[in-house]
């Protein structure tokens, strides 16, 4: 297991460096920060002093070297806008994203398990067709369109919910969670439905029925437990994509998470904060992927990491088979 963990860390090191390097270069293509942080009538001397004070007068390769050395010392620089430590601003915003993603996935899993199990009880029945249609629509609707539609209907037209912010109790969570959870519910419902149909046709389920077990007990005590591994694996992958893709939803709803911080940093050309936010997000996604792999291995002994090449290939093929259902 530890050999597998070391291998995954080494495999992820190069992509992490590439992501940080790409963001470092692309951020500087957004323009000269002095045009935002200095008056319109600023002299050239004032612009030169600003560049020298923030290290922008150095060649880009030298700026890059200074940044990577700072990262090794856990020094991500300071915000051009506030003068605050970039790492402090990112760590303050990241819990809001994790709370939103975590609450969304918990609700999405519960809803998906319920409607997926309901559809699996009678394959090709009315319930199955309704769930399949809903899952197809849910997995296809763009998050930004759903967010705008939700604001228009429930906030502007009906006035039931706030449009943005975090002050206002539970009501401020409704639209962001509803927007983010629709696609995971659609995908997971299909996974649960497919797994449950397979498991409900197994001999041990028929034996349980012949012994007088009720439908609810068969689903909760026999079928659902054995059908959980594929759904949980896909749920983990969806959580990773949600953390990575919450940028638009957080910006639309004014949610003070890492996604909104990234957008604000791009618009304000706050390079240090943007680079720190991207690096922390990449590290979080890497850690979540490791947890997913270990959780899947714990649920299904057949795909536990092994030093043997053949076993590793089997684990990969199992995960690819699960992903093919999405």
């Amino acid at each position: 297991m530890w050999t597998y963990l070391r291998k995954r860390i080494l495999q992820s090191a190069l992509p992490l460096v590439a992501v940080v390097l790409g963001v470092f270069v692309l951020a500087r293509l957004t323009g000269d920060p002095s045009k935002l942080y200095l008056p319109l009538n600023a002299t050239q001397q004032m612009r030169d002093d600003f560049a020298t004070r923030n290290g922008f007068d150095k060649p880009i390769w030298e700026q890059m070297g200074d940044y990577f050395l700072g990262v090794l010392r856990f020094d991500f620089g300071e915000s051009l806008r506030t003068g605050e430590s970039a790492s402090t601003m990112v760590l303050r915003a990241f819990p809001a994203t994790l709370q939103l993603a975590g609450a969304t996935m918990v609700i999405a899993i519960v809803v998906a398990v319920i409607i997926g199990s309901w559809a699996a009880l009678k394959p090709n029945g009315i319930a199955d067709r309704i769930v399949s249609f809903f899952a197809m629509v849910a997995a296809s609707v763009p998050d930004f369109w759903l967010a705008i539609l939700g604001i228009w209907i429930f906030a502007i037209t009906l006035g039931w919910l706030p449009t943005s912010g975090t002050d206002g109790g539970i009501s401020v969570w409704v639209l962001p969670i509803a927007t983010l959870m629709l696609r995971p519910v659609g995908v997971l419902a299909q996974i649960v439905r497919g797994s449950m149909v397979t498991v409900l046709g197994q001999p041990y389920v028929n034996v349980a029925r012949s012994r007088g077990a009720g439908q609810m007990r068969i689903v909760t005590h026999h079928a659902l437990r054995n059908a959980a591994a594929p759904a949980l694996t896909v749920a983990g992958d969806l959580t990773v994509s949600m953390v990575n893709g919450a940028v638009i939803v957080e910006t639309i709803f004014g949610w003070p998470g890492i996604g909104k911080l990234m957008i604000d940093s791009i618009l304000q050309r706050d390079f240090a904060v943007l680079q720190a936010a991207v690096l922390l997000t990449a590290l979080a996604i890497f850690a979540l992927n490791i947890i997913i792999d270990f959780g899947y291995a714990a649920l299904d002994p057949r795909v536990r990491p092994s030093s043997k090449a053949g076993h590793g290939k089997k684990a990969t093929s199992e995960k690819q088979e699960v992903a093919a259902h999405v």
Side-chain angles (χ1 to χ4, degrees), residues 39-82:
L40 293 176
N41 59 351
T43 64
Q44 186 59 43
Q45 182 62 42
M46 294 172 64
R47 297 185 187 280
D48 292 341
D49 291 342
F50 177 86
T52 302
R53 186 167 60 252
N54 293 283
F56 298 142
D57 58 329
K58 300 178 182 178
I60 190 167
W61 61 267
E62 191 173 340
Q63 295 181 43
M64 192 181 304
D66 292 341
Y67 175 70
F68 276 102
L69 288 175
V71 169
L72 293 176
R73 298 192 302 268
F74 299 99
D75 180 9
F76 298 93
E78 296 179 349
S79 169
L80 292 174
R81 181 169 55 92
T82 65

Side-chain angles (χ1 to χ4, degrees), residues 4 8 288-298 303 305 319:
Y4 170 76
R8 285 300 306 271
L288 284 172
N289 276 316
I290 294 293
I291 294 172
I292 292 167
D293 288 345
F294 275 83
Y296 190 55
V303 296
K319 291 194 71 178

Side-chain angles (χ1 to χ4, degrees), residues 37-194:
Y37 295 100
L38 294 179
L40 293 176
N41 59 351
T43 64
Q44 186 59 43
Q45 182 62 42
M46 294 172 64
R47 297 185 187 280
D48 292 341
D49 291 342
F50 177 86
T52 302
R53 186 167 60 252
N54 293 283
F56 298 142
D57 58 329
K58 300 178 182 178
I60 190 167
W61 61 267
E62 191 173 340
Q63 295 181 43
M64 192 181 304
D66 292 341
Y67 175 70
F68 276 102
L69 288 175
V71 169
L72 293 176
R73 298 192 302 268
F74 299 99
D75 180 9
F76 298 93
E78 296 179 349
S79 169
L80 292 174
R81 181 169 55 92
T82 65
E84 190 178 1
S85 169
S87 58
T88 300
M89 294 178 66
V90 171
L91 291 174
R92 185 170 59 239
F94 203 64
T97 296
L98 292 180
Q99 290 171 3
L100 181 60
T104 301
M105 284 310 303
V106 169
I107 297 174
I109 290 172
V110 172
V111 174
V113 167
I114 293 173
I115 65 175
S117 301
W118 178 47
L121 294 178
K122 291 184 178 181
N124 299 319
I126 296 178
D128 189 15
R129 294 178 183 178
I130 293 173
V131 171
S132 297
F133 177 76
F134 165 77
M136 180 182 65
V137 173
S140 305
V141 176
D143 290 343
F144 72 89
W145 182 84
L146 188 64
I148 295 172
L149 184 64
I151 291 175
W152 176 55
I153 295 175
F154 296 102
I156 297 176
T157 303
L158 299 176
W160 292 350
L161 299 170
T163 58
S164 62
T166 56
D167 297 328
I170 298 178
S171 62
V172 301
W173 292 77
V174 175
L175 282 177
I177 288 179
T179 300
L180 283 174
M181 71 176 283
L182 191 63
R183 182 177 183 274
V185 167
V187 173
L188 288 174
Q190 286 291 78
I191 298 296
V192 172
R193 183 261 179 203

